[in-house]
Amino acid sequence: MTRPWVAVLAIVVVLSAVGCARRPATIQAPVPSGVVMSPRAAAESASRRAAAPSAGPVAATARPAPQEFVAVPELGDIHFDFDKYDIRQDDAKTLDVNAAWLKSNATHLVLIEGHCDERGTNEYNMALGERRAKSAMDYLVSQGVRANRITIVSYGEERPLCTEHSEGCWSKNRRAHFLVKPR
């Protein structure tokens, strides 16, 4: 025998998840620009903040506004396979070029936008776009670009390059796009 309250609870949970407002998910390294912290110091700082929640609000690092960033021709987009966020071999070469430019232009901050094609739910595509941007960020950091210069944002399917309903068009929309601004 099923209980009706279980079904009602399930419906309420689904409706509340679907009814949430959509906004781009942004992540920035917590260290303000210009401040160099060792991994140990960063971990200690985070544990102190977590251990003292009643100490009042902690001043948050201001996130850069996405509209402040611009595209530069030296930074190329990378693309992803359907439902994937792995860096492909050809795209790794593009990221190597991007990393070299970013290291030689150390005064610039970078915004990595994660994008998806139109297939899938909005929530799924927002999460996938974030994973794509994070993969690109992780690759750049592994090539020597400082993490505190990088911000990621996911737009999911909200900002397509191509609006046709074909695989050729969808493959253009599955991308990580790079923008910069001077510090």
Side-chain angles (χ1 to χ4, degrees), residues 67-145:
Q67 62 270 19
E68 297 173 358
F69 289 82
V70 296
V72 293
E74 294 84 3
L75 297 180
D77 289 355
I78 61 169
H79 294 86
F80 297 88
D81 292 327
F82 174 71
D83 202 29
K84 302 282 185 197
Y85 56 96
D86 302 324
I87 305 296
R88 302 183 299 193
Q89 191 171 21
D90 288 345
D91 292 311
K93 294 173 187 172
T94 301
L95 286 173
D96 290 337
V97 171
N98 290 358
W101 188 89
L102 289 167
K103 288 189 289 187
S104 67
N105 292 275
T107 60
H108 285 76
L109 300 176
V110 62
L111 174 68
I112 305 173
E113 298 178 342
H115 297 271
C116 300
D117 62 36
E118 66 188 39
R119 297 172 290 180
T121 65
N122 290 329
E123 293 80 13
Y124 180 81
N125 285 334
M126 289 297 284
L128 181 58
E130 183 174 337
R131 287 192 297 270
R132 288 175 174 170
K134 180 81 167 89
S135 288
M137 175 184 165
D138 290 345
Y139 189 93
L140 291 175
V141 169
S142 76
Q143 297 303 308
V145 178

Side-chain angles (χ1 to χ4, degrees), residues 10 14 16-17 23 30 45 49 56 73 110 115 133-134 141 156-157 159-160 166-167 175:
V14 169
S16 65
R23 59 184 168 152
S45 174
R49 285 193 306 268
V110 62
H115 297 271
K134 180 81 167 89
V141 169
E157 62 190 74
R159 294 186 178 184
S166 66
E167 181 54 41
R175 71 193 189 284

